[in-house]
Amino acid sequence: MKHIVFLSGAGISAESGISTFRDAGGLWDTYNVMDVCSAEAFMRNRQFVLEFYNKRRRELADKKPNAAHCMIAELQREFPGRVLNITQNIDDLFEKAGCQGTIHLHGELTKARCEVCGYVWDIGYTDIVGTEHCPFCKAARVRHHVVMFNEQAPEYVRLYEAMEGLADEGMLVVIGTSGLVLPVEEFARCAPYSILNNLEPQDAIDDRAFSVHMYEKASEAAPKIALLVRRFLNGEDKSEELS
Ligand code: NAD
């Protein structure tokens, strides 16, 4: 059956006021990524890394989803079971928009994880100070539920399953990612139809792999993307409209 896979990165949340990492003014202008987002940094300075993510979590509390998050939620309601949402983002804007079953490849800021038993639970926007106990096994090894550099990302199994499934009547829609972490261009080659939306061309992405590219804000691209998705899912697409 025809289906859609959305795959997003930090750019989809930029208009909601959450900094991307690599864009000018992004988080990496302020922080050295390997000092705050790596397994080594966490081993070296646990409190510093916990506090970095506490700040990111606090910042989420008043952020609202934008038209691009809402577009995906609306399409999921319109086409039940045919719109899969996968994101690299650790924010909760898809959940706030009403998206269902979002796969967070790199974890979620609003959850904590026990390093001993692996139990994951909701903590909302509260800080992790380092003295908490796991509600399941009671160990005092509680951390942010975010995948850092040089850590495993268990959800990649589901990502690769979804990418393999694209060959079978799938459309891939990539929004707001530089392609430095995930090989989105290779993924696009798996799909009969694909759309790329970023602010500007990216060195790491050969946009010729995509049927359509839109270099503009995600909120402005959203209605056009929704139109192409509806046509595709309703079987009204003509190849010339999508290439
Ligand atoms: P990135 O920072 O490397 O690249 C951002 C991309 O978004 C760029 O290609 C840029 O052109 C595009 N972009 C910026 N503003 C946009 C807009 N308004 N509309 C459309 N596109 C826009 O992001 P990445 O590829 O996602 O990699 C960063 C990593 O850091 C990810 O793995 C993610 O987990 C993490 N991260 C997450 C968040 C978040 O949860 N919101 C924020 C920062 C970083």
Side-chain angles (χ1 to χ4, degrees):
M1 190 193 289
K2 287 193 169 187
H3 65 283
I4 308 291
V5 179
F6 281 94
L7 178 59
S8 56
I12 198 170
S13 296
E15 291 170 75
S16 295
I18 300 175
S19 290
T20 62
F21 275 0
R22 295 183 182 83
D23 290 324
L27 281 173
W28 291 357
D29 282 355
T30 317
Y31 291 93
N32 176 339
V33 61
M34 293 317 258
D35 287 345
V36 284
C37 298
S38 69
E40 295 76 10
F42 194 46
M43 275 190 284
R44 251 191 338 260
N45 195 343
R46 192 177 171 92
Q47 281 312 123
F48 183 68
V49 174
L50 286 177
E51 187 49 33
F52 171 80
Y53 286 109
N54 286 341
K55 279 191 196 137
R56 307 280 81 76
R57 191 178 304 106
R58 275 179 235 141
E59 284 166 5
L60 281 189
D62 64 347
K63 298 293 184 292
K64 295 188 172 55
N66 63 51
H69 302 98
C70 295
M71 175 257 303
I72 298 174
E74 208 175 301
L75 288 167
Q76 283 190 327
R77 284 191 291 272
E78 210 174 314
F79 299 97
R82 296 173 70 189
V83 179
L84 177 63
N85 189 34
I86 306 181
T87 188
Q88 298 171 82
N89 292 349
I90 55 176
D91 66 51
D92 61 348
L93 295 183
F94 286 116
E95 286 71 23
K96 283 180 176 169
C99 285
Q100 300 294 319
T102 299
I103 298 175
H104 286 271
L105 296 172
H106 297 158
E108 293 172 76
L109 269 174
T110 54
K111 292 184 175 166
R113 183 167 82 232
C114 173
E115 288 180 292
V116 175
C117 71
Y119 185 69
V120 173
W121 67 100
D122 279 314
I123 55 167
Y125 305 109
T126 55
D127 287 356
I128 299 176
V129 293
T131 54
E132 295 85 353
H133 290 257
C134 169
F136 190 72
C137 77
K138 312 297 177 210
R141 297 294 293 178
V142 174
R143 60 163 280 180
H144 47 293
H145 181 51
V146 174
V147 176
M148 299 183 292
F149 285 100
N150 299 328
E151 290 190 319
Q152 289 195 336
E155 294 289 20
Y156 276 34
V157 174
R158 290 208 282 166
L159 168 71
Y160 281 93
E161 276 170 10
M163 294 305 119
E164 280 166 23
L166 283 170
D168 185 20
E169 297 191 288
M171 179 195 255
L172 174 69
V173 184
V174 172
I175 305 178
T177 177
S178 58
L180 287 166
V181 178
L182 292 180
V184 293
E185 167 195 322
E186 282 174 37
F187 295 158
R189 294 202 172 94
C190 300
Y193 299 116
S194 52
I195 300 174
L196 172 68
N197 166 226
N198 264 328
L199 268 192
E200 67 287 291
Q202 300 292 310
D203 291 343
I205 305 177
D206 179 356
D207 57 22
R208 290 171 301 182
F210 288 81
S211 319
V212 175
H213 48 77
M214 302 176 184
Y215 291 123
E216 58 190 320
K217 289 182 178 173
S219 64
E220 287 164 10
K224 292 173 235 172
I225 293 172
L227 187 74
L228 291 176
V229 165
R230 286 193 178 97
R231 282 189 190 158
F232 180 81
L233 290 180
N234 288 325
E236 298 160 3
D237 56 294
K238 311 235 177 354
S239 51
E240 65 269 20
E241 284 172 356
L242 286 160
S243 57

